Amino acid sequence: MLTAILVMAGIAIVLGAVLGYAALRYKVEGDPLVEKIDAILPQTQCGQCGYPGCKPYATAIAKGEADINKCPPGGEEGVKKLAELLGVEVKPLDAEPKPKAVAFIDENLCIGCTLCIQACPVDAILGAAKQMHTIIASECTGCELCVAPCPVDCISMVVLKEDLPHWKWKYPVFRIKQAA
Amino acid sequence: MRTLHRFPGGIHPEEHKAESSARPIHAPFIPNRLFIPMRQHIGQPAKPIVKVGDKVLKGQMIGQADGYVSTAVHASSSGVVTGIGLHAVAHPSGLPDLCITIDTDGHDTWTELQPLDWQSLDPAAVRGYVRDLGIAGLGGAVFPSSIKLDPKNQPIHTLILNGGECEPWITCDDRLMRERAEEVLQGARIMQHLLGAQTVIAGIEDNKPEAIAAMQAAAEKLGLQIEIAAMPTRYPGGGGKQITQTLTGLETPSGKLSTDIGVQVFNVGTAYALARAILHGEPLISRIVTVTGHVLGPQNYETLIGTPMGELVMHAGEREGTTGLIMGGPMMGFDVQPEAPVVKATNCVLVKSAELFPPKPRELPCIRCTECARVCPAQLQPQELYWFARAKNFGKAQEYNLFDCIECGCCSYVCPSHIPLVDYYRFAKSEIWAREKEKHAADIARERHEFRLFRLEREKKEKAERLAAKAQTKKAEAPTLTTDEQDAKKKLIAEALARAQAKKAGVAPKNTDNLTPEQCAEIAEIEARRARIREMAKKTIEPEKHL
Ligand code: SF4
Ligand code: SF4
Ligand code: SF4
Ligand code: SF4
């Protein structure tokens, strides 16, 4: 009996020591909650949530200052994931979700003023003063921030069409209703 | 004799092989128009290297391999390129894809072919040829063969020639082995040389005794150390992991490939294509396709890549009451449009009729009979996977090894509730892939955004330093920009703006008549916003000048 108690106590002490050591050794830098929330946000950096980017919004959520349903690019999916992470109720999205689009510059009209470059949060626009500008479509997040600053209105958002490499299998139709 | 092993699960569907296996391979015919897709293999699609109007010869490269995981595409007959654009292709989505259209001239003139002295060449050079001759796995997965023939990632001890052909209805490999066994084995020898494999085994299901005999005779004639093994017929015995287990007893661990345990598997058709490519210099421009089901004369056709499937069916004798085409077999194939061309992956065009393929009975709730788990060759729990995929609980589905599912369809086949189980797994897999892609894109965007913030910070600091340095020297000198110069700059910008606006007026839409009041209001609102933006823009231009 005594040996059993001693053994158990020994194990408890050893495990405690290991846990204590691990807590010190693997201490996470920065605020892990903000990082976790930021990892869920889509990184469009559009500011539609009312914050100047995804990270600030993540910080605000972590502090409890912002609701979880303010990010339209993240969609209902994003709200669901945030709710899961934070252990709160899922809420309907506080905006209309939009189809994914990328910006397109009409290069015949561009006067090369560089204003769009200054607006782009991910440096996806190429150009120099008085030169025609163009968008690197693969890096564009579709935030629309470059559209408003353009003095000649030559930037438009082009909705991405579904093509073969981006096609997804559809949810199988539930045939019970169909056949009945 | 090799001792054979048994893979778990499997089923015995009706074979339907006799319909098409009795007749010899039909010689190719040249359709008036070929539609050759650039995406016929796994990986990057080929890049077109011809222009509309170009004359091309049979076997001429028209699409170049683009990147490591890619392979070339060639003209299947001589003629003129009449289009490069989207055309219907064989894909479950029914979406079109990039194809090169060739109007054939009927002469079928070959380009100059260059056989290869593979024994004296460096293996890497041979692999380069394999890639440029467009060889990809013809068993259905169409993975570029040049990569599979590269043993640098993993030493290979055993090469398996897959002559299983376990899917019902399909007999193209059977006929190929019966009629062209020697070339198949010559291809295998080249493969063995490139891989450095010690053992070569050809596995053929025992419902093809003629093919087994032909392969044995050819091996003897060529004096090759290749073992021809007759495997018990059981679907999906021709699956890569299944044939590996049957012939070697080695089990491929979850999430791994057979190469990870030192076994490389090639379809017999691929070995044949490789022999043609290396020994004759012929690129992969045709393949054997079983045309069967609801047709007058089911048979195997040597078919030019790019031949519309509907035309192929017409040759085999279209029948009344055709309800559609399947590319591949009834277990793993999918519906295609008749306009879609034959590609490197097309082993069979199965013509449907209401009799042969009656509409599926309605789907009922799962009764948890676990029949599906009993037949699953990957030893999964299909009923659980179904549950998670249906509930879109993808994390859980992955925990239950969704990605080990080979989509063989055994589970759907036996399910008494007629649940299209595989459709759910495909849905779940493609959702997971899409999410991973999105996640990746988000990670890149985050990085770029953070770098931008860092860059702005750095530029601010540099500017401050510059200004401080300038202020030091400025004390002595006069101000750099006079008001005159500033005015001149302002004028320049105004002029550029005016020019652009004039240009824009030229291209303005002409549909501004007959607008509803709402549309007018909307336009007014947009105009107001634009004016505001212009104001803002001017304001932001001004400080720029002082830089
Ligand atoms: S709304 Fe835009 S900026 Fe805000 S979190 Fe979503 S993507 Fe990021
Ligand atoms: S804001 Fe408009 S005009 Fe200015 S550089 Fe960008 S696209 Fe060209
Ligand atoms: S389709 Fe997938 S889950 Fe179903 S039996 Fe085949 S391997 Fe198993
Ligand atoms: S066979 Fe069908 S009904 Fe039976 S457990 Fe599997 S999914 Fe459910």
Side-chain angles (χ1 to χ4, degrees), chain B residues 163-215:
Chain B
E165 199 163 54
C166 53
E167 268 237 18
W169 291 100
I170 308 178
T171 58
C172 59
D173 291 345
D174 181 9
R175 280 311 321 185
L176 176 79
M177 289 186 284
R178 287 198 214 184
E179 296 180 33
R180 306 175 188 175
E182 270 184 42
E183 276 169 303
V184 171
L185 294 180
Q186 278 164 344
R189 191 165 59 174
I190 302 171
M191 289 172 170
Q192 181 184 17
H193 167 77
L194 291 175
L195 289 169
Q198 293 99 40
T199 321
V200 185
I201 319 165
I204 306 167
E205 284 196 344
D206 57 12
N207 59 356
K208 297 182 260 296
E210 296 91 343
I212 296 172
M215 290 281 277

Side-chain angles (χ1 to χ4, degrees), chain A residues 38-39 43 45 77 108 111 117-118 120-123 139 148 153 164-165 167-169 171-172 174 176, chain B residues 91-93 363 390 424 426-427 430-431 434-435 437 442 445-446 448-449 452 455 500 503-504 530 533:
Chain A
D38 194 44
Q43 306 302 317
Q45 315 291 1
E77 270 288 325
N108 293 319
I111 57 169
I117 293 195
Q118 294 165 43
C120 179
V122 288
D123 285 341
E139 309 295 353
D153 276 332
L164 219 141
W167 177 78
K168 289 194 283 186
W169 282 89
Y171 191 72
F174 217 34
I176 293 180
Chain B
H91 192 269
S93 67
E363 178 179 336
R390 223 189 104 183
Y424 283 95
R426 286 176 174 154
F427 157 73
S430 84
E431 276 301 319
R435 267 156 220 222
K437 262 194 229 162
R446 181 183 301 113
R448 288 181 77 93
H449 181 60
R452 178 186 157 84
R455 177 174 66 79
K503 232 193 215 166
K504 192 163 177 220
R530 279 188 186 152
I533 291 161

Side-chain angles (χ1 to χ4, degrees), chain B residues 440-458:
Chain B
H440 184 66
D443 285 345
I444 291 179
R446 181 183 301 113
E447 232 167 73
R448 288 181 77 93
H449 181 60
E450 272 162 14
F451 178 74
R452 178 186 157 84
L453 294 179
F454 162 76
R455 177 174 66 79
L456 292 180
E457 194 57 35
R458 188 188 63 198

Side-chain angles (χ1 to χ4, degrees), chain A residues 41-54 57 70-74:
Chain A
L41 296 176
Q43 306 302 317
T44 310
Q45 315 291 1
C46 61
Q48 289 179 72
C49 50
Y51 295 85
C54 302
Y57 178 46
K70 301 286 184 211
C71 169

Side-chain angles (χ1 to χ4, degrees), chain B residues 481 484-494 545:
Chain B
L481 270 185
D484 261 12
E485 276 170 311
Q486 281 191 24
D487 280 350
K489 267 201 176 172
K490 235 183 231 167
K491 217 173 106 203
L492 271 178
I493 290 174
K545 292 182 315 189

Side-chain angles (χ1 to χ4, degrees), chain B residues 374-545:
Chain B
R374 201 175 55 78
V375 297
C376 176
Q379 291 181 286
L380 302 174
Q381 298 290 320
Q383 75 284 6
E384 304 287 340
L385 286 176
Y386 159 65
W387 191 250
F388 296 134
R390 223 189 104 183
K392 302 190 186 169
N393 190 345
F394 301 124
K396 250 335 207 192
Q398 261 175 296
E399 261 174 52
Y400 276 71
N401 296 325
L402 172 67
F403 282 95
D404 279 350
C405 166
I406 57 169
E407 300 177 17
C408 64
C410 289
C411 50
S412 321
Y413 184 82
V414 297
C415 175
S417 294
H418 313 295
I419 304 172
L421 293 163
V422 183
D423 290 354
Y424 283 95
Y425 308 150
R426 286 176 174 154
F427 157 73
K429 284 183 187 177
S430 84
E431 276 301 319
I432 293 169
W433 279 322
R435 267 156 220 222
E436 255 159 41
K437 262 194 229 162
E438 262 169 38
K439 179 103 195 13
H440 184 66
D443 285 345
I444 291 179
R446 181 183 301 113
E447 232 167 73
R448 288 181 77 93
H449 181 60
E450 272 162 14
F451 178 74
R452 178 186 157 84
L453 294 179
F454 162 76
R455 177 174 66 79
L456 292 180
E457 194 57 35
R458 188 188 63 198
E459 276 167 12
K460 221 187 268 94
K461 219 191 272 161
E462 282 171 4
K463 204 161 99 189
E465 276 162 18
R466 252 202 335 264
L467 282 179
K470 231 181 182 172
Q472 290 280 321
T473 46
K474 223 182 192 172
K475 273 178 195 155
E477 292 167 27
T480 34
L481 270 185
T482 65
T483 9
D484 261 12
E485 276 170 311
Q486 281 191 24
D487 280 350
K489 267 201 176 172
K490 235 183 231 167
K491 217 173 106 203
L492 271 178
I493 290 174
E495 274 168 16
L497 253 171
R499 266 201 310 279
Q501 259 151 11
K503 232 193 215 166
K504 192 163 177 220
V507 294
K510 304 277 184 284
N511 59 351
T512 40
D513 303 326
N514 309 324
L515 288 180
T516 60
E518 291 95 308
Q519 280 169 321
C520 287
E522 211 175 88
I523 290 175
E525 198 190 303
I526 293 169
E527 285 300 342
R529 207 180 64 219
R530 279 188 186 152
R532 218 171 44 240
I533 291 161
R534 260 178 234 127
E535 274 309 309
M536 268 161 52
K538 268 194 209 130
K539 265 189 226 132
T540 25
I541 289 175
E542 302 237 345
E544 279 295 304
K545 292 182 315 189

